Amino acid sequence: MKLPKKYVFWFIIASLSALFGEVAIGATLYPFFSPWGILVILPLYGLHTLVLASIVYRFGRPRFETLYLAGVIFGLYEAYITKIIWNPDWESPIQVGGISILELLVVVFFWHPFMSFMMAVGTAELLTSRRKLLPDFVLKRPLLFAMILGALESSNSQSPLHSFLSLASTLTVVLLLIWWWRKQYEGENLDDLLPTLRELRVLIPLLLVYYIALGLGIKRESIPGLGPQAFVWFLYALTGFLLYRALRKSKGVEGEQTAAPPLRKLVVLSVVWIVSGIAFSTLELFIHELKFLIIALLWLSGAVVGLVSFFRGARWALEE
């Protein structure tokens, strides 16, 4: 007997978001095999992705600008839940008015919009409606992208063994989910699988419960005064306004179609990702500076890409 296809898909998209948003950078090693992963990471990333993707698809069209701006709203959870925007676990190089500028640009404007949200939705599209949402770089140079992902994972890995176990276990589960989906539910439309307005009335309050519970449960003492909080409120309001404009404008724009990669290609890319993670983790045992070089390149390039992308999305949303 088949499980309800919609709920299977919801779990797949939550898994993809956790894979690209957490495992790819080594922030969470075993989302499917740890209480933290099962109770916090998968629900938190899944709820964000499902709620925001549903808003994009129900009130507009999925394209770079609408998905990116929705992803920025996703990334702003790094304020009240993790407090990284205000008080990161490391010494922030640039702080202005209680705001960690580099963390804001990289984590909120780059990592979560692209990795946690757009990569998950774009990959889910390849399993369903086949819209071309993934960046050209990912579609045209998937092997290079897989190697880069391995390098990024190694930058937070404790050892080559940790890289292997984390990537192999997570990718195996994701590949099995994709195989199962294609065998049981091939040909479904993504628009029909996302939460309906009635289901959003349940999912949005549940997401707010996570915000309250984690916001008060993780470094509660790091919640700053009114000034830094007001800046985050401003970002929420500004991004929400831009998203509203972009969704209205996107209704008249049709997306480009693309082909889905065969499962064997996904297996090859997963193997390259795992081997790359192990190789870079091993190199870092002998070249200690390599880890810091990877992190520095990620932060510098991420800050630039995030800033450019936000202005691109804002300009498109505001143009008549």
Side-chain angles (χ1 to χ4, degrees), residues 32 51 75 114 225 292:
F32 299 107
V51 168
F114 285 101
F292 302 105

Side-chain angles (χ1 to χ4, degrees), residues 23-45:
V23 178
I25 197 63
T28 297
L29 297 181
Y30 310 107
F32 299 107
F33 305 100
S34 67
W36 179 258
I38 295 169
L39 298 177
V40 177
I41 296 300
L42 287 169
L44 184 64
Y45 276 69

Side-chain angles (χ1 to χ4, degrees), residues 45-306:
Y45 276 69
L47 285 168
H48 271 105
T49 306
L50 289 170
V51 168
L52 291 168
S54 183
I55 290 171
V56 169
Y57 279 72
R58 302 296 173 192
F59 299 102
R61 293 288 186 273
R63 51 175 289 126
F64 174 84
E65 292 81 7
T66 55
L67 291 171
Y68 174 78
L69 291 169
V72 172
I73 294 177
F74 188 147
L76 282 169
Y77 93 78
E78 299 284 7
Y80 278 100
I81 292 182
T82 66
K83 323 299 189 297
I84 283 178
I85 296 175
W86 296 318
N87 187 20
D89 295 329
W90 52 85
E91 186 176 349
S92 180
I94 307 174
Q95 274 224 341
V96 179
I99 303 296
S100 301
I101 301 300
L102 195 57
E103 285 76 4
L104 176 69
L105 293 177
V106 175
V107 179
V108 176
F109 287 168
F110 169 69
W111 187 262
H112 285 302
F114 285 101
M115 297 300 291
S116 303
F117 189 62
M118 296 175 72
M119 283 298 302
V121 175
T123 305
E125 274 283 4
L126 295 181
L127 300 176
T128 53
S129 306
R130 309 291 201 262
R131 294 184 186 93
K132 181 184 175 184
L133 298 182
L134 291 176
D136 286 336
F137 174 76
V138 176
L139 292 174
K140 294 180 179 179
R141 299 175 178 84
L143 288 175
L144 178 58
F145 183 62
M147 292 172 63
I148 292 173
L149 289 178
L152 293 177
E153 192 279 336
S154 74
S155 66
N156 281 314
S157 177
Q158 300 175 37
S159 69
L161 179 60
H162 282 86
S163 290
F164 169 73
L165 293 176
S166 175
L167 292 173
S169 63
T170 307
L171 286 168
T172 297
V173 173
V174 171
L175 287 172
L176 287 173
L177 289 170
I178 291 174
W179 169 79
W180 186 26
W181 176 266
R182 286 186 166 177
K183 183 178 180 180
Q184 300 290 333
Y185 307 100
E186 182 69 28
E188 297 294 338
N189 192 322
L190 180 55
D191 305 60
D192 300 328
L193 296 168
L194 290 169
T196 62
L197 293 177
R198 176 177 295 181
E199 289 164 336
L200 285 178
R201 295 192 184 103
V202 176
L203 296 182
I204 291 176
L206 184 57
L207 180 57
L208 292 176
V209 168
Y210 265 88
Y211 266 81
I212 295 171
L214 296 175
L216 297 178
I218 300 175
K219 298 194 302 183
R220 182 177 181 178
E221 69 283 357
S222 296
I223 298 177
L226 184 60
Q229 290 192 69
F231 179 75
V232 171
W233 302 339
F234 167 75
L235 280 182
Y236 268 114
L238 174 62
T239 309
F241 169 72
L242 293 173
L243 178 59
Y244 167 75
R245 293 269 307 189
L247 289 174
R248 290 185 59 188
K249 186 176 180 180
S250 71
K251 289 181 179 179
V253 180
E254 292 298 328
E256 182 181 349
Q257 297 294 116
T258 189
L263 186 62
R264 64 178 179 274
K265 184 174 182 179
L266 297 180
V267 172
V268 170
L269 293 174
S270 298
V271 171
V272 171
W273 187 349
I274 295 168
V275 172
S276 175
I278 297 171
F280 276 96
S281 294
T282 303
L283 282 174
E284 288 159 9
L285 296 176
F286 304 96
I287 309 173
H288 302 295
E289 296 79 6
L290 181 59
K291 182 187 295 284
F292 302 105
L293 177 62
I294 292 171
I295 294 174
L297 288 174
L298 169 65
W299 283 79
L300 292 176
S301 60
V304 173
V305 172

